[in-house]
Amino acid sequence: MKRFSAVFLAILVAILVVFAACNKNPVYEATESVSEQVVAKAAVGGAVGGFDEFGYNYQARLFNGPADGVDRILDGKVWGDPVYAKDRLVMKWSKAWDDAKFNGAPWGPDAWENNEWNGKVPGGSGETWHYKIIWVGPLLESSQYWREGGYAIWGQFEVIFSHGSVDGEHIWDARANPAGYGFASK
């Protein structure tokens, strides 16, 4: 069953890589006001105050839609694979994540990202997964932010919660203590 989790984790990594690439835009300047940034995002394909055609709402720091849209190509596939394209995906990320990932702010313990994957929809994969990821820094397991029960990802992050179901079997890959967001000292 670890194979299924590895597949979803690989998709999750790809989602965040594409998400980051799609949001790095030279239109944004650190000196712009929030309203100027909203207008700039709308001018390059984002929807002002709502969701774009792919399922992203950058003002709310949310993606909600078929997984097909997460790669920003509506072709009935997710990175060329049709298996998970009809699954529903909800991604949420904190302001600290947004500030660090897209606006050059330093990473900190309030940076987190959440993915909820639901393949129990018509034509979906039938699998469900929920991931919670936090920034812990380059020290990983030695970091003051590290939580027992998680696992390292991307060199500075920890998956503190990974739970899914495949073919009716519940699978826990990570269940850190605590598994909530925000700073938790050792």
Side-chain angles (χ1 to χ4, degrees), residues 4-5 11 20 25 29 31-32 44 50 69 75 83 100-102 113 130 153-156:
F4 292 107
S5 180
I11 290 172
N25 193 310
E29 299 277 338
T31 58
E32 289 181 329
V44 295
D75 60 357
V83 174
K101 187 79 174 173
F102 309 118
E113 195 268 338
H130 185 185
I153 185 173
W154 310 321
Q156 293 192 34

Side-chain angles (χ1 to χ4, degrees), residues 111-114 130-136 145-153 157-163 172-182 184:
W112 57 262
E113 195 268 338
N114 183 75
H130 185 185
Y131 297 99
K132 293 180 180 181
I133 301 167
I134 62 170
W135 177 87
V136 294
Y145 308 120
W146 185 265
R147 302 174 190 185
E148 288 300 316
Y151 59 87
I153 185 173
F157 300 87
E158 180 183 9
V159 177
I160 59 169
F161 185 93
S162 174
H163 174 259
W172 284 97
D173 289 332
R175 185 169 29 181
N177 187 11
Y181 299 118

Side-chain angles (χ1 to χ4, degrees), residues 58-107:
Y58 296 107
Q59 293 74 40
R61 295 185 294 278
L62 173 69
F63 174 93
N64 187 357
D68 179 22
V70 77
D71 61 5
R72 301 190 66 80
I73 302 169
L74 297 174
D75 60 357
K77 300 174 186 174
V78 180
W79 295 283
D81 185 352
V83 174
Y84 301 104
K86 292 184 180 178
D87 291 6
R88 297 293 298 188
L89 175 61
V90 177
M91 287 191 314
K92 302 171 189 172
W93 55 97
S94 69
K95 181 176 183 331
W97 184 284
D98 195 60
D99 289 346
K101 187 79 174 173
F102 309 118
N103 298 311
W107 286 98

